[in-house]
Amino acid sequence: MKKALALVLTITMLFAFCTGMAEGWTAIEPNTGGESTQAEGGTGGDYVNGNEEPEYIPCSSFEDPDDSYESEIPEDMRHIYLDESRLPGGIAPYAVRGVDTYDVRKVRVLISQRNHSESTVRIYGSYAVHDAAGNALFIAQDEAAYTVKAENSAVSLYSAFGTLLYSGASVSFKEFESGHANNCVKVDSVSMGNSDTDRTYRGDLNIYYFDKTGSYSKRWAGLYLVNNVYMEDYIQGVVAAEMGKENKQNQAKGWPVEAQKAQAVAARTFAMNKTGSSLVFDVYDTSKSQAYFGITDWCKAAVQATAGNILYYEGKVLRVHYTGTNGGDTEVTANYWGEGETGCGKESVREDVYDLMVSGKDYVEYAEIPVNYNASNKYVKSLVDNVLIPNLTASGYAVSSAAYQSLSISVPKCTIASCTHHNRSSMTADQVCNHFCSIDIVFYGVTINGTQQIGTVSTNVGEKDFYVNPANGRPLGFFVTGGLKCYWLKENVTNGIVTSYTIRHARNASGTGLSQYGAKYRALEGHKYDAILDFYFPQSSIAPLASDISRPAIQAKPSVKYDARVLGSTARVFAKKNAAADAIATIQAGNTVFVDDISGKWAHVSCGSVSGYIAASTLERTAVQVTTANISKNISVWPEPDSMTTALCTVEKGTVLELIEANAQPGWHKVNTASGAGYIPARYSTLIFQGSGEQFDEPTGLEDSLSYYGAAIKLSGDYGIRVRFGIDIAAHDGGTIAGYTIKEYGVIADGEKQRAYYTENGAKYDKVSAVADGMALFAANIDNISALKAEHSFVPYIIAENANGEITHYGDEVKLSVYSVALKLADEYAADSAQGQYIAALIAKADAE
């Protein structure tokens, strides 16, 4: 590849450029100093120029989690054990997950996405793609993007170029042993109940399709992306999401390590209780189970310090709960969730003063009511207007105003029969809740209408009367936060005399188990994580979840061999995995090679006596057969891709059929049978990849004859991209290169040929715009672009011939979007210039799409 043209050209070269411009185009390309003519098939417009480089995202550079994350899951539905269905059998510390046992060192996390019909996955490191039966299909290319789609009740896997690679009930990306230290997968548009963002995960990624039936009837029909990950990697992502990072400069603004440690043990214990589900996943990645960020560097020390440790009670894994705050008092799990929630240890209701150290109306509100009447106090006024006067009116008094001398407030004794917060039939004295369902208020020295003495008035006020925007009861207006759900009463005593009462409005969830903010403020006061856990989980013990908590071994590199087709450019074969090495052969686009290994970005190919390395990005796998799968006995083949028609024939389980076209219609493979051509559902079949490859072509000598020289975008009218390439000057005007006579060259833009030099009906057409750096420059453009971030393909080509015949040579493909070119140009122009303002507006519009 030759370097791009310098910014400053000679006067002669600039003149040649300018005299070759098409009408209506502006010469403003900073990398070349001039503008090219349009290639055949294009339209005019004003363009700016920029070069495009491939994106590279190493694992070490992934962004930290968003510490403003807050799930849309309702507070009282967080960290719960609903929808449980576990595999039979028990825990096996060294077992592979199966029908009877499961490996406690791994957990399967359902990745949340709003779009259940399509997702993009990018691979980093060493991964193999496996089919629904667990067979290795091929080695995934490092840094390659793959698209998965839900089509006709099946999972379809596509390459970045849109070629179907596999279709079936499920597909998996499984890591294997290699020298790559940072195996990970990046999934786009992960919602986590919040705004969508791309997130990256260690471990394997399993992708399934399920209809909205059976065990999945309460979920959705479509894709289920499941991260099968080592427990400790999972816990680090959970602690980062549930709490956040430490702030060493200001401890109160961050999360102390001891609180993180307590959270790590609680989260690990929660996951341990969920592992082994009979579903394809154990937990959600939202706070419906536990929020999970995937890869992050946050909280690593806390997780490592507690690695493998979980909570036990009386020799059994403790069934833990946790919540943001408990409102200042612990809660018994069965009080909230009912008697069926067992195994939660020795619980009792106790004051938690550290929980109340959190501030802000989102967590706690207070209302202080004086004993003695004070007409200017808003709470006193509300009690008179909304409690006292309605009570007197109901007793037959005609009341225009009322007052009292003093009052007393108390909480009636809580009984199981009367308590609206107890979902159980029995409890011990220390398990009785101390937030109230109602309060008794006695008004002393009541007068009405200014002078009429009434005396003492007693009434009961239910908690609904305190609700914010109540559907029932009286709107006392004491509080403003509707998300808080419990109320407590406290007497304020001075010199042995009650002077006022405080009603506390707090707790936004169940209040059971660990209080995250309580743990934070205990840690800030110097409490160690084990003491924190001992307070919230009395008489529990901390111990490893298994005798071996080390990272489970991953599979050896699978041995997979298959045919692959060379994509839209001539591919060179090297003796070593190094593009600087001498090419030993070339293979033309569209031909087939046999792949026997992929290592990183290189594929080892062989055919006859020739073998070597080729860039894996230039290859796409091809299927040749189909076998029935995921059926108990047989499956019908249909004459059309429609199961409502009359079946063409029936084939038995395990039958191998000739493939005519993979995914001929979404979710259907077209196959050949003894009864003729028909269609079989992709969900109930597996593609077979095999073959021996074809002979290589010898090097042509044209390999370095084409170069990429930058791109431009329109400055007016519709949006468009222009890409410029260069061809060796020796090829210009019917010249020769390496013994080949050049007959035609141009660019294939989004699959359509735009010719720059050719002969037709005896007339020669030459649309070369300039000569520079030993190269003749020519261009192609795509106009009327509506999706600014959509990528478009540009592939330069040469048609040449020698004594052996005619060949077509393809240069390297360039993929660009209007947005990507605009980003490259953003710093090229002053912000207040017309070009700079146009580019800034374009980028903003694209970001808003």
Side-chain angles (χ1 to χ4, degrees), residues 103-166:
D103 189 339
V104 299
R105 297 170 297 171
K106 300 191 78 173
V107 61
R108 300 169 298 169
V109 190
L110 179 64
I111 297 173
S112 55
Q113 294 190 299
R114 302 182 201 278
N115 183 357
H116 301 303
S117 60
E118 182 174 336
S119 185
T120 299
V121 176
R122 187 176 292 272
I123 300 300
Y124 296 93
S126 301
Y127 281 83
V129 178
H130 291 247
D131 64 14
N135 302 310
L137 296 174
F138 59 92
I139 305 300
Q141 182 191 339
D142 186 17
E143 298 183 30
Y146 297 88
T147 299
V148 288
K149 297 181 180 181
E151 296 179 319
N152 195 46
S153 300
V155 180
S156 294
L157 175 68
Y158 291 88
S159 73
F161 298 94
T163 299
L164 177 70
L165 302 176
Y166 171 76

Side-chain angles (χ1 to χ4, degrees), residues 723-771:
V723 175
R724 177 178 294 166
F725 294 93
I727 186 170
D728 193 310
I729 191 63
H732 184 236
D733 197 15
T736 61
I737 302 176
Y740 286 91
T741 299
I742 307 304
K743 299 180 64 178
E744 177 181 316
Y745 53 82
V747 181
I748 299 174
D750 274 355
E752 294 188 5
K753 183 182 291 187
Q754 296 186 23
R755 296 184 288 179
Y757 173 84
Y758 60 102
T759 301
E760 190 170 88
N761 297 325
K764 183 185 294 183
Y765 297 85
D766 183 357
K767 297 193 175 184
V768 168
S769 60
V771 176

Side-chain angles (χ1 to χ4, degrees), residues 182-461:
N182 290 311
N183 289 341
C184 52
V185 294
K186 186 176 184 180
V187 178
D188 75 333
S189 302
V190 178
S191 63
M192 292 181 63
N194 200 10
S195 58
D196 295 350
T197 186
D198 296 349
R199 294 205 180 276
T200 309
Y201 306 92
R202 300 206 185 281
D204 300 337
L205 182 67
N206 305 324
I207 305 166
Y208 306 87
Y209 177 89
F210 289 104
D211 288 320
K212 193 175 180 181
T213 58
S215 299
Y216 298 87
S217 60
K218 296 181 180 179
R219 296 173 178 88
W220 58 86
L223 299 177
Y224 288 72
L225 278 67
V226 179
N227 179 207
N228 191 14
V229 62
Y230 176 42
M231 179 71 79
E232 299 310 305
D233 292 337
Y234 167 67
I235 295 303
Q236 187 172 336
V238 169
V239 178
E242 287 287 351
M243 282 192 168
K245 63 182 177 180
E246 182 184 19
N247 188 327
K248 294 183 178 179
Q249 285 69 42
N250 188 334
Q251 289 284 332
K253 289 187 175 181
W255 289 86
V257 171
E258 293 302 315
Q260 293 177 358
K261 290 179 182 178
Q263 176 68 75
V265 175
R268 194 179 290 112
T269 311
F270 182 94
M272 185 64 244
N273 278 287
K274 295 290 290 181
T275 303
S277 168
S278 60
L279 301 174
V280 296
F281 65 94
D282 300 315
V283 291
Y284 299 89
D285 68 346
T286 69
S287 56
K288 184 175 182 180
S289 295
Q290 302 184 117
Y292 168 56
F293 274 152
I295 291 179
T296 171
D297 287 332
W298 295 3
C299 311
K300 182 179 293 185
V303 175
Q304 291 178 344
T306 63
N309 285 334
I310 62 174
L311 290 164
Y312 292 85
Y313 179 75
E314 295 183 344
K316 296 180 180 179
V317 177
L318 185 69
R319 193 172 175 86
V320 304
H321 294 78
Y322 60 90
T323 186
T325 71
N326 57 31
D329 285 88
T330 63
E331 184 60 274
V332 176
T333 303
N335 284 355
Y336 190 87
W337 294 111
E339 290 179 305
E341 193 69 7
T342 59
C344 301
K346 180 66 175 177
E347 297 179 290
S348 62
V349 174
R350 291 166 295 141
E351 185 180 26
D352 184 4
V353 295
Y354 290 97
D355 182 274
L356 290 178
M357 294 176 73
V358 65
S359 60
K361 64 181 179 61
D362 290 338
Y363 301 102
V364 61
E365 299 177 287
Y366 298 96
E368 185 173 352
I369 304 165
V371 167
N372 295 323
Y373 181 74
N374 180 348
S376 64
N377 184 284
K378 65 177 182 179
Y379 303 118
V380 170
K381 187 177 185 306
S382 178
L383 286 175
V384 170
D385 292 343
N386 298 296
V387 177
L388 181 56
I389 291 177
N391 183 280
L392 291 167
T393 300
S395 299
Y397 292 98
V399 184
S400 60
S401 64
Y404 61 87
Q405 292 181 349
S406 63
L407 58 68
S408 66
I409 306 176
S410 60
V411 177
K413 181 179 180 181
C414 180
T415 65
I416 292 175
S418 64
C419 183
T420 62
H421 297 287
H422 286 158
N423 296 305
R424 57 195 301 193
S425 59
S426 63
M427 67 184 73
T428 58
D430 62 353
Q431 295 178 331
V432 176
C433 65
N434 55 7
H435 47 86
F436 61 76
C437 302
S438 67
I439 53 176
D440 291 330
I441 303 178
V442 180
F443 298 96
Y444 301 98
V446 176
T447 59
I448 62 174
N449 305 327
T451 59
Q452 185 176 352
Q453 300 289 328
I454 299 299
T456 300
V457 176
S458 299
T459 188
N460 179 268
V461 178

Side-chain angles (χ1 to χ4, degrees), residues 51 265 438 450 483 617 624 637 704 719 747:
N51 289 318
V265 175
S438 67
S617 61
V624 294
V637 179
D704 294 320
Y719 294 112
V747 181

